[in-house]
PDB file of all heavy atoms in Angstrom:
ATOM      1  N   GLN A  26      96.558 112.776 110.254  1.00 97.00           N
ATOM      2  CA  GLN A  26      96.583 111.316 110.367  1.00 97.00           C
ATOM      3  C   GLN A  26      97.750 110.701 109.605  1.00 97.00           C
ATOM      4  O   GLN A  26      98.139 109.578 109.861  1.00 97.00           O
ATOM      5  CB  GLN A  26      95.253 110.728 109.884  1.00 97.00           C
ATOM      6  CG  GLN A  26      94.702 111.322 108.578  1.00 97.00           C
ATOM      7  CD  GLN A  26      95.414 110.925 107.326  1.00 97.00           C
ATOM      8  OE1 GLN A  26      95.896 109.823 107.201  1.00 97.00           O
ATOM      9  NE2 GLN A  26      95.484 111.839 106.383  1.00 97.00           N
ATOM     10  N   SER A  27      98.353 111.437 108.705  1.00 96.00           N
ATOM     11  CA  SER A  27      99.473 110.939 107.910  1.00 96.00           C
ATOM     12  C   SER A  27     100.834 111.146 108.600  1.00 96.00           C
ATOM     13  O   SER A  27     101.861 110.712 108.089  1.00 96.00           O
ATOM     14  CB  SER A  27      99.498 111.646 106.548  1.00 96.00           C
ATOM     15  OG  SER A  27      99.548 113.055 106.738  1.00 96.00           O
ATOM     16  N   SER A  28     100.843 111.764 109.776  1.00 97.00           N
ATOM     17  CA  SER A  28     102.077 112.063 110.493  1.00 97.00           C
ATOM     18  C   SER A  28     102.796 110.774 110.930  1.00 97.00           C
ATOM     19  O   SER A  28     102.166 109.768 111.225  1.00 97.00           O
ATOM     20  CB  SER A  28     101.774 112.912 111.738  1.00 97.00           C
ATOM     21  OG  SER A  28     102.898 112.980 112.590  1.00 97.00           O
ATOM     22  N   SER A  29     104.113 110.854 111.029  1.00 97.00           N
ATOM     23  CA  SER A  29     104.904 109.718 111.519  1.00 97.00           C
ATOM     24  C   SER A  29     104.668 109.458 112.999  1.00 97.00           C
ATOM     25  O   SER A  29     105.082 108.415 113.520  1.00 97.00           O
ATOM     26  CB  SER A  29     106.401 109.956 111.257  1.00 97.00           C
ATOM     27  OG  SER A  29     106.829 111.091 111.996  1.00 97.00           O
ATOM     28  N   THR A  30     103.990 110.351 113.697  1.00 96.00           N
ATOM     29  CA  THR A  30     103.671 110.141 115.114  1.00 96.00           C
ATOM     30  C   THR A  30     102.416 109.281 115.294  1.00 96.00           C
ATOM     31  O   THR A  30     102.014 108.998 116.412  1.00 96.00           O
ATOM     32  CB  THR A  30     103.474 111.474 115.857  1.00 96.00           C
ATOM     33  OG1 THR A  30     102.410 112.197 115.241  1.00 96.00           O
ATOM     34  CG2 THR A  30     104.750 112.302 115.844  1.00 96.00           C
ATOM     35  N   VAL A  31     101.805 108.887 114.172  1.00 98.00           N
ATOM     36  CA  VAL A  31     100.643 107.989 114.199  1.00 98.00           C
ATOM     37  C   VAL A  31     101.049 106.655 113.573  1.00 98.00           C
ATOM     38  O   VAL A  31     101.501 106.628 112.430  1.00 98.00           O
ATOM     39  CB  VAL A  31      99.438 108.591 113.446  1.00 98.00           C
ATOM     40  CG1 VAL A  31      98.216 107.685 113.600  1.00 98.00           C
ATOM     41  CG2 VAL A  31      99.131 110.007 113.901  1.00 98.00           C
ATOM     42  N   ARG A  32     100.916 105.565 114.335  1.00 98.00           N
ATOM     43  CA  ARG A  32     101.235 104.223 113.848  1.00 98.00           C
ATOM     44  C   ARG A  32      99.934 103.443 113.675  1.00 98.00           C
ATOM     45  O   ARG A  32      99.055 103.485 114.529  1.00 98.00           O
ATOM     46  CB  ARG A  32     102.140 103.485 114.842  1.00 98.00           C
ATOM     47  CG  ARG A  32     103.529 104.073 114.953  1.00 98.00           C
ATOM     48  CD  ARG A  32     104.458 103.241 115.871  1.00 98.00           C
ATOM     49  NE  ARG A  32     103.800 102.414 116.858  1.00 98.00           N
ATOM     50  CZ  ARG A  32     103.473 102.802 118.108  1.00 98.00           C
ATOM     51  NH1 ARG A  32     103.740 104.012 118.513  1.00 98.00           N
ATOM     52  NH2 ARG A  32     102.890 101.955 118.941  1.00 98.00           N
ATOM     53  N   TYR A  33      99.849 102.733 112.567  1.00 98.00           N
ATOM     54  CA  TYR A  33      98.661 101.955 112.249  1.00 98.00           C
ATOM     55  C   TYR A  33      98.967 100.471 112.299  1.00 98.00           C
ATOM     56  O   TYR A  33     100.020 100.031 111.851  1.00 98.00           O
ATOM     57  CB  TYR A  33      98.127 102.328 110.864  1.00 98.00           C
ATOM     58  CG  TYR A  33      97.651 103.762 110.808  1.00 98.00           C
ATOM     59  CD1 TYR A  33      98.503 104.796 110.417  1.00 98.00           C
ATOM     60  CD2 TYR A  33      96.342 104.078 111.157  1.00 98.00           C
ATOM     61  CE1 TYR A  33      98.055 106.106 110.393  1.00 98.00           C
ATOM     62  CE2 TYR A  33      95.892 105.392 111.123  1.00 98.00           C
ATOM     63  CZ  TYR A  33      96.757 106.396 110.741  1.00 98.00           C
ATOM     64  OH  TYR A  33      96.328 107.691 110.722  1.00 98.00           O
ATOM     65  N   ALA A  34      98.025  99.696 112.817  1.00 98.00           N
ATOM     66  CA  ALA A  34      98.130  98.234 112.831  1.00 98.00           C
ATOM     67  C   ALA A  34      96.811  97.693 112.274  1.00 98.00           C
ATOM     68  O   ALA A  34      95.738  98.240 112.565  1.00 98.00           O
ATOM     69  CB  ALA A  34      98.368  97.722 114.244  1.00 98.00           C
ATOM     70  N   GLY A  35      96.886  96.656 111.490  1.00 98.00           N
ATOM     71  CA  GLY A  35      95.695  96.111 110.862  1.00 98.00           C
ATOM     72  C   GLY A  35      95.439  96.819 109.543  1.00 98.00           C
ATOM     73  O   GLY A  35      96.301  97.502 108.990  1.00 98.00           O
ATOM     74  N   SER A  36      94.243  96.673 109.030  1.00 97.00           N
ATOM     75  CA  SER A  36      93.883  97.171 107.710  1.00 97.00           C
ATOM     76  C   SER A  36      93.320  98.593 107.763  1.00 97.00           C
ATOM     77  O   SER A  36      92.252  98.819 108.348  1.00 97.00           O
ATOM     78  CB  SER A  36      92.851  96.230 107.079  1.00 97.00           C
ATOM     79  OG  SER A  36      92.489  96.686 105.821  1.00 97.00           O
ATOM     80  N   TRP A  37      94.037  99.547 107.150  1.00 98.00           N
ATOM     81  CA  TRP A  37      93.618 100.948 107.063  1.00 98.00           C
ATOM     82  C   TRP A  37      93.764 101.412 105.620  1.00 98.00           C
ATOM     83  O   TRP A  37      94.700 101.014 104.927  1.00 98.00           O
ATOM     84  CB  TRP A  37      94.474 101.844 107.958  1.00 98.00           C
ATOM     85  CG  TRP A  37      94.203 101.643 109.418  1.00 98.00           C
ATOM     86  CD1 TRP A  37      94.792 100.709 110.222  1.00 98.00           C
ATOM     87  CD2 TRP A  37      93.265 102.341 110.216  1.00 98.00           C
ATOM     88  NE1 TRP A  37      94.275 100.803 111.488  1.00 98.00           N
ATOM     89  CE2 TRP A  37      93.331 101.796 111.522  1.00 98.00           C
ATOM     90  CE3 TRP A  37      92.371 103.383 109.975  1.00 98.00           C
ATOM     91  CZ2 TRP A  37      92.551 102.262 112.577  1.00 98.00           C
ATOM     92  CZ3 TRP A  37      91.595 103.839 111.023  1.00 98.00           C
ATOM     93  CH2 TRP A  37      91.684 103.288 112.299  1.00 98.00           C
ATOM     94  N   VAL A  38      92.866 102.281 105.168  1.00 98.00           N
ATOM     95  CA  VAL A  38      92.885 102.818 103.824  1.00 98.00           C
ATOM     96  C   VAL A  38      93.074 104.325 103.909  1.00 98.00           C
ATOM     97  O   VAL A  38      92.345 104.996 104.644  1.00 98.00           O
ATOM     98  CB  VAL A  38      91.569 102.486 103.075  1.00 98.00           C
ATOM     99  CG1 VAL A  38      91.560 103.120 101.692  1.00 98.00           C
ATOM    100  CG2 VAL A  38      91.359 100.979 103.000  1.00 98.00           C
ATOM    101  N   ALA A  39      94.031 104.870 103.161  1.00 97.00           N
ATOM    102  CA  ALA A  39      94.230 106.313 103.080  1.00 97.00           C
ATOM    103  C   ALA A  39      93.515 106.823 101.833  1.00 97.00           C
ATOM    104  O   ALA A  39      93.710 106.276 100.748  1.00 97.00           O
ATOM    105  CB  ALA A  39      95.721 106.634 103.002  1.00 97.00           C
ATOM    106  N   ILE A  40      92.670 107.851 102.016  1.00 97.00           N
ATOM    107  CA  ILE A  40      91.943 108.415 100.885  1.00 97.00           C
ATOM    108  C   ILE A  40      91.892 109.934 100.972  1.00 97.00           C
ATOM    109  O   ILE A  40      91.938 110.500 102.069  1.00 97.00           O
ATOM    110  CB  ILE A  40      90.480 107.873 100.797  1.00 97.00           C
ATOM    111  CG1 ILE A  40      89.682 108.251 102.056  1.00 97.00           C
ATOM    112  CG2 ILE A  40      90.458 106.400 100.537  1.00 97.00           C
ATOM    113  CD1 ILE A  40      88.189 108.034 101.918  1.00 97.00           C
ATOM    114  N   GLY A  41      91.793 110.574  99.830  1.00 97.00           N
ATOM    115  CA  GLY A  41      91.573 112.007  99.793  1.00 97.00           C
ATOM    116  C   GLY A  41      90.112 112.281 100.128  1.00 97.00           C
ATOM    117  O   GLY A  41      89.226 111.499  99.773  1.00 97.00           O
ATOM    118  N   ASN A  42      89.865 113.383 100.843  1.00 96.00           N
ATOM    119  CA  ASN A  42      88.502 113.741 101.219  1.00 96.00           C
ATOM    120  C   ASN A  42      88.462 115.250 101.418  1.00 96.00           C
ATOM    121  O   ASN A  42      89.155 115.780 102.284  1.00 96.00           O
ATOM    122  CB  ASN A  42      88.090 113.001 102.487  1.00 96.00           C
ATOM    123  CG  ASN A  42      86.642 113.235 102.854  1.00 96.00           C
ATOM    124  OD1 ASN A  42      86.223 114.369 103.047  1.00 96.00           O
ATOM    125  ND2 ASN A  42      85.891 112.153 102.973  1.00 96.00           N
ATOM    126  N   ALA A  43      87.649 115.930 100.637  1.00 96.00           N
ATOM    127  CA  ALA A  43      87.571 117.385 100.694  1.00 96.00           C
ATOM    128  C   ALA A  43      87.085 117.896 102.043  1.00 96.00           C
ATOM    129  O   ALA A  43      87.358 119.033 102.413  1.00 96.00           O
ATOM    130  CB  ALA A  43      86.650 117.907  99.583  1.00 96.00           C
ATOM    131  N   TYR A  44      86.373 117.076 102.803  1.00 96.00           N
ATOM    132  CA  TYR A  44      85.852 117.504 104.112  1.00 96.00           C
ATOM    133  C   TYR A  44      86.851 117.273 105.245  1.00 96.00           C
ATOM    134  O   TYR A  44      86.663 117.758 106.352  1.00 96.00           O
ATOM    135  CB  TYR A  44      84.536 116.788 104.434  1.00 96.00           C
ATOM    136  CG  TYR A  44      83.430 117.105 103.488  1.00 96.00           C
ATOM    137  CD1 TYR A  44      83.048 116.190 102.510  1.00 96.00           C
ATOM    138  CD2 TYR A  44      82.778 118.333 103.535  1.00 96.00           C
ATOM    139  CE1 TYR A  44      82.026 116.486 101.634  1.00 96.00           C
ATOM    140  CE2 TYR A  44      81.751 118.640 102.659  1.00 96.00           C
ATOM    141  CZ  TYR A  44      81.387 117.706 101.702  1.00 96.00           C
ATOM    142  OH  TYR A  44      80.379 118.013 100.828  1.00 96.00           O
ATOM    143  N   ALA A  45      87.910 116.516 105.000  1.00 96.00           N
ATOM    144  CA  ALA A  45      88.905 116.199 106.023  1.00 96.00           C
ATOM    145  C   ALA A  45      89.775 117.420 106.297  1.00 96.00           C
ATOM    146  O   ALA A  45      89.996 118.267 105.421  1.00 96.00           O
ATOM    147  CB  ALA A  45      89.764 115.027 105.590  1.00 96.00           C
ATOM    148  N   SER A  46      90.312 117.480 107.496  1.00 94.00           N
ATOM    149  CA  SER A  46      91.059 118.671 107.917  1.00 94.00           C
ATOM    150  C   SER A  46      92.251 118.953 107.032  1.00 94.00           C
ATOM    151  O   SER A  46      92.522 120.097 106.726  1.00 94.00           O
ATOM    152  CB  SER A  46      91.440 118.541 109.395  1.00 94.00           C
ATOM    153  OG  SER A  46      92.772 118.240 109.583  1.00 94.00           O
ATOM    154  N   GLY A  47      92.957 117.950 106.583  1.00 93.00           N
ATOM    155  CA  GLY A  47      94.115 118.163 105.714  1.00 93.00           C
ATOM    156  C   GLY A  47      93.890 117.674 104.294  1.00 93.00           C
ATOM    157  O   GLY A  47      94.836 117.519 103.541  1.00 93.00           O
ATOM    158  N   GLY A  48      92.637 117.404 103.953  1.00 96.00           N
ATOM    159  CA  GLY A  48      92.330 116.931 102.598  1.00 96.00           C
ATOM    160  C   GLY A  48      92.412 115.441 102.420  1.00 96.00           C
ATOM    161  O   GLY A  48      92.201 114.939 101.319  1.00 96.00           O
ATOM    162  N   SER A  49      92.739 114.715 103.498  1.00 97.00           N
ATOM    163  CA  SER A  49      92.772 113.245 103.438  1.00 97.00           C
ATOM    164  C   SER A  49      92.490 112.687 104.822  1.00 97.00           C
ATOM    165  O   SER A  49      92.547 113.395 105.832  1.00 97.00           O
ATOM    166  CB  SER A  49      94.125 112.752 102.912  1.00 97.00           C
ATOM    167  OG  SER A  49      95.144 113.032 103.864  1.00 97.00           O
ATOM    168  N   LEU A  50      92.199 111.386 104.853  1.00 97.00           N
ATOM    169  CA  LEU A  50      91.975 110.680 106.121  1.00 97.00           C
ATOM    170  C   LEU A  50      92.341 109.232 105.938  1.00 97.00           C
ATOM    171  O   LEU A  50      92.642 108.791 104.844  1.00 97.00           O
ATOM    172  CB  LEU A  50      90.524 110.859 106.596  1.00 97.00           C
ATOM    173  CG  LEU A  50      89.406 110.357 105.681  1.00 97.00           C
ATOM    174  CD1 LEU A  50      89.147 108.867 105.821  1.00 97.00           C
ATOM    175  CD2 LEU A  50      88.140 111.111 106.009  1.00 97.00           C
ATOM    176  N   ARG A  51      92.305 108.504 107.036  1.00 98.00           N
ATOM    177  CA  ARG A  51      92.452 107.045 106.989  1.00 98.00           C
ATOM    178  C   ARG A  51      91.219 106.460 107.628  1.00 98.00           C
ATOM    179  O   ARG A  51      90.696 106.988 108.604  1.00 98.00           O
ATOM    180  CB  ARG A  51      93.704 106.583 107.719  1.00 98.00           C
ATOM    181  CG  ARG A  51      94.937 106.942 106.962  1.00 98.00           C
ATOM    182  CD  ARG A  51      96.111 106.105 107.363  1.00 98.00           C
ATOM    183  NE  ARG A  51      97.289 106.705 106.763  1.00 98.00           N
ATOM    184  CZ  ARG A  51      98.487 106.191 106.837  1.00 98.00           C
ATOM    185  NH1 ARG A  51      98.680 105.083 107.482  1.00 98.00           N
ATOM    186  NH2 ARG A  51      99.498 106.783 106.243  1.00 98.00           N
ATOM    187  N   TYR A  52      90.798 105.302 107.078  1.00 98.00           N
ATOM    188  CA  TYR A  52      89.655 104.629 107.683  1.00 98.00           C
ATOM    189  C   TYR A  52      89.900 103.131 107.702  1.00 98.00           C
ATOM    190  O   TYR A  52      90.699 102.601 106.932  1.00 98.00           O
ATOM    191  CB  TYR A  52      88.348 104.975 106.970  1.00 98.00           C
ATOM    192  CG  TYR A  52      88.162 104.276 105.640  1.00 98.00           C
ATOM    193  CD1 TYR A  52      87.564 103.019 105.558  1.00 98.00           C
ATOM    194  CD2 TYR A  52      88.557 104.900 104.463  1.00 98.00           C
ATOM    195  CE1 TYR A  52      87.392 102.393 104.335  1.00 98.00           C
ATOM    196  CE2 TYR A  52      88.385 104.283 103.233  1.00 98.00           C
ATOM    197  CZ  TYR A  52      87.794 103.036 103.172  1.00 98.00           C
ATOM    198  OH  TYR A  52      87.626 102.404 101.977  1.00 98.00           O
TER     199      TYR A  52
END
């Protein structure tokens, strides 16, 4: 989800998460 091929619009929060595929996610 942190790749430059993903663009976000509006309010998103990036957090670390041990269960996420790369150790982090956005919500």
Side-chain angles (χ1 to χ4, degrees):
Q26 44 73 34
S27 56
S28 168
S29 63
T30 59
V31 185
R32 293 185 336 271
Y33 295 92
S36 180
W37 289 87
V38 177
I40 61 167
N42 185 302
Y44 297 104
S46 104
S49 67
L50 59 83
R51 289 201 191 185
Y52 75 88

